[in-house]
Amino acid sequence: MSVIELLAPAGDKDKLAAALDYGADAVYLGGQQFGLRAPAANFSVADLKQALDCAHGRGKKIYLTLNAYLHEHEMASLENYLEELKPLSTDGYIVSDAGVLSRVRAVDPQREIHLSTQANTLNAAACEFWRRQGVQRVNLGRELALDDIRAIRARSAMELEVFVHGAMCVAYSGRCLLSTALTGRSANAGACAQPCRWNYALVEETRPGQAFPIEEDSRGSYLMNSRDLCLLPLLPDLLASGVQSLKIEGRMKTLYYVAAVTRVYRAAIDAWLADPAGYVCDPLWRAELDKVSHRPYTTDFLPAGDATVHSADSRYRRTHDFLAVVRAVDGAGRALVEGRNRFHAGETVEVIGPQMRQQEFVVAAGEDEQGEPCSCIQPNARVWLSVPVTVQPGDLLRREKDHGDGWAVGGGTNAAPAAG
Ligand code: SF4
């Protein structure tokens, strides 16, 4: 484990493996209750046990999200769940609710506790308060500027974690009622419908059905559509500020997203650790972050306005499509790939792997697992391909988008960001 922890999300077992392979020191994931990502596959208690064995075998850590705010009628279930989890060697629980914190301390007093960003910790006094309550680490609110983080570091002994990358809410993280009010789906239950991303219009009370556009431009108005956070340009300052953990948002993101973003921050952190004075942000790293599905990036949460709200549209953009995962290699230059998007023999694709390994090649016709010839790889199909470049299990194939503008709709997720 490096001095600075790189903490990546894992929505399922495949993404956990990708996060570990591509450079995370620790991974956060949800169980099947109280974890604020209802639509994610999440981990059963048995899955979590396997995940812990896998991560600990590689010297890495796993934190479990228990960061919902609970109603009284849910507390008994929480206690049962905590009892079930207690025998496992989970490295820490991420909580938001003081009630959940108190029950963890009562049921499982040795367990390390991290305070979620949902708790909106913005000052050193709050950090010290939580430290007295048995919290070992706080994920600071994204509302903070770098100077605020430095000041907190100077005045508190609390272990500090900050988000470096990923989607943001215009509201205080999942503590937002917009989705509940408009759809009945609660952000606090991990089921946000993201109404802050919708295109709004004006309707006069006596003219139902006549929507008057509120136009900032011809596309409409997306007053509450937050940009995505990307603190790569500020990484040296952040690392020097004394925070212990840098967290990537995205338990609902794809395996490709988790791998591609994690490896960029791994490379950047390692470069800074090796030579802080000589650190230079490699343009390749920033370019790689444009290749995954994202909204326009910002380095700010505050002040609100153009810096953080993208009012032109709420679409995701990316320059590359994720095509396949390499599941095995046979020592004869062939790779067993499992499709995610359709691609064909004759196309130029790129294989990417940990430590910024990436190389293009032209796809040749392959054969399926029954030995039948195959020149088109469909989603979920498993095909043996001859690959004329270095390739390892866990590598990913991608293809540059051919329509040039890098725009893609629906390439992201449909859950509230920021939990954890
Ligand atoms: S993503 Fe959900 S929780 Fe976040 S601001 Fe939008 S509606 Fe609110």
Side-chain angles (χ1 to χ4, degrees), residues 31-106:
Q32 289 180 329
Q33 295 182 71
F34 311 119
L36 280 192
R37 280 298 175 271
N42 293 321
F43 289 71
S44 67
V45 173
D47 293 338
L48 181 55
K49 165 99 179 54
Q50 271 184 8
L52 287 161
D53 290 344
C54 167
H56 291 168
R58 303 174 65 168
K60 305 195 177 195
K61 294 186 174 182
I62 289 186
Y63 308 127
L64 178 72
T65 55
L66 294 170
N67 53 341
Y69 282 88
L70 300 195
H71 290 251
E72 188 57 31
H73 66 87
E74 297 172 293
M75 295 305 279
S77 304
L78 172 70
E79 292 199 17
N80 291 337
Y81 191 43
L82 292 174
E83 291 288 1
E84 211 182 339
L85 293 169
K86 192 173 170 179
L88 304 187
S89 53
T90 313
D91 297 284
Y93 292 164
I94 300 171
V95 309
S96 305
D97 183 341
V100 174
L101 167 60
S102 79
R103 297 334 296 154
V104 173
R105 294 206 65 197

Side-chain angles (χ1 to χ4, degrees), residues 269-348:
I269 292 169
D270 286 350
W272 185 86
L273 288 171
D275 181 11
Y279 174 88
V280 176
C281 185
D282 186 335
L284 172 72
W285 301 334
R286 183 62 179 74
E288 282 297 306
L289 296 177
D290 280 337
K291 294 177 183 176
V292 299
S293 183
H294 65 284
R295 298 185 184 92
Y297 288 127
T298 179
T299 55
D300 290 324
F301 184 86
L302 288 178
D306 274 356
T308 53
V309 172
H310 181 67
S311 54
D313 61 71
S314 63
R315 289 188 290 176
Y316 287 94
R317 59 266 294 138
R318 62 176 185 270
T319 61
H320 286 62
D321 286 328
F322 174 32
L323 299 179
V325 187
V326 175
R327 292 300 187 192
V329 294
D330 69 357
R334 293 196 320 159
L336 178 64
V337 305
E338 188 176 279
R340 288 291 182 274
N341 277 298
R342 189 169 58 169
F343 62 106
H344 304 268
E347 289 193 71
T348 299

Side-chain angles (χ1 to χ4, degrees), residues 168-171 173-176 178-179 187 192-197 415-417:
M168 295 195 290
C169 285
V170 287
S173 301
R175 301 177 73 175
C176 166
L178 201 56
S179 181
C192 181
Q194 298 203 334
C196 61
R197 315 291 184 188

Side-chain angles (χ1 to χ4, degrees), residues 71-149:
H71 290 251
E72 188 57 31
H73 66 87
E74 297 172 293
M75 295 305 279
S77 304
L78 172 70
E79 292 199 17
N80 291 337
Y81 191 43
L82 292 174
E83 291 288 1
E84 211 182 339
L85 293 169
K86 192 173 170 179
L88 304 187
S89 53
T90 313
D91 297 284
Y93 292 164
I94 300 171
V95 309
S96 305
D97 183 341
V100 174
L101 167 60
S102 79
R103 297 334 296 154
V104 173
R105 294 206 65 197
V107 173
D108 196 358
Q110 303 309 317
R111 191 71 56 188
E112 185 165 315
I113 301 173
H114 298 181
L115 196 68
S116 167
T117 201
Q118 311 289 116
N120 300 121
T121 310
L122 303 179
N123 57 65
C127 288
E128 288 304 289
F129 168 81
W130 288 115
R131 205 155 68 87
R132 290 192 295 277
Q133 307 309 313
V135 171
Q136 280 87 5
R137 178 189 293 187
V138 164
N139 183 300
L140 294 172
R142 270 173 277 203
E143 296 78 17
L144 294 176
L146 193 57
D147 281 346
D148 297 325
I149 296 171

